[in-house]
Amino acid sequence: MSFLDTIDLLSVLSSEEKADLELFCQEKSLEPWETLFLEWDEANSMYFLAKGKIEIYKDIDWVEDVIWDIEAEEILWEMAIFWGDGKRMASARATEKTYLITMLSFSIKDMTQRHPELMKKIENIIIERESEN
């Protein structure tokens, strides 16, 4: 069983498709307060938070404003890949020891083109997050 089998978002994919996607995934760990990415960075990956916590923040007039926290088993930075201009719209950093699965953007985009229901799930996550902020 692959780790991708545990991601509910990917439940629409077959075992073979998950195995293909896994070829374009990497594991990443972050120490507390280590930055994952900064606002305006190129969005070349989407992340699945396996364990830990990430805070999303923006610098507004030289003051960091925490927008929301991402908990284990959530995805992050899907907005910049699917609804943005390809740039990160905020910064992200770990607030505790964190483990992520990095999914390269071209591989997840390919899967959403083949599975509109996967894209619909991602769109629903984006809409929910936008309404919360």
Side-chain angles (χ1 to χ4, degrees):
M1 180 168 151
S2 159
F3 179 76
L4 297 183
D5 290 330
T6 66
I7 302 174
D8 184 56
L9 178 73
L10 303 178
S11 64
V12 299
L13 305 180
S14 69
S15 296
E16 293 81 22
E17 289 170 319
K18 288 177 191 172
D20 289 345
L21 181 59
E22 195 167 20
L23 296 173
F24 300 100
C25 293
Q26 297 176 330
E27 293 180 23
K28 182 174 182 68
S29 65
L30 298 172
E31 295 298 321
W33 307 112
E34 187 175 351
T35 299
L36 177 60
F37 54 77
L38 295 171
E39 187 173 6
W40 307 117
D41 282 354
E42 198 68 34
N44 54 11
S45 299
M46 185 172 90
Y47 303 94
F48 178 78
L49 183 56
K51 183 178 178 185
K53 193 172 181 181
I54 298 278
E55 73 179 9
I56 307 299
Y57 66 96
K58 291 181 79 71
D59 285 318
I60 301 171
D61 296 326
W62 303 101
V63 175
E64 289 182 0
D65 182 25
V66 175
I67 300 169
W68 72 82
D69 293 319
I70 304 293
E71 306 275 337
E73 301 188 9
E74 290 186 70
I75 61 170
L76 69 143
W77 239 257
E78 68 290 338
M79 291 172 134
I81 293 172
F82 292 103
W83 282 15
D85 62 358
K87 302 287 184 187
R88 305 289 184 192
M89 294 173 259
S91 301
R93 69 175 158 232
T95 57
E96 58 189 59
K97 182 73 173 170
T98 299
Y99 299 93
L100 303 133
I101 302 296
T102 302
M103 299 177 196
L104 297 177
S105 60
F106 74 87
S107 61
I108 197 69
K109 281 182 176 180
D110 178 60
M111 288 296 173
T112 58
Q113 288 175 347
R114 289 192 270 154
H115 294 277
E117 63 274 27
L118 175 59
M119 187 65 224
K120 186 66 178 164
K121 286 182 170 188
I122 292 172
E123 286 175 349
N124 288 340
I125 291 167
I126 293 170
I127 290 166
E128 182 181 323
R129 289 186 179 164
E130 282 186 330
S131 70
E132 290 175 3
N133 293 306

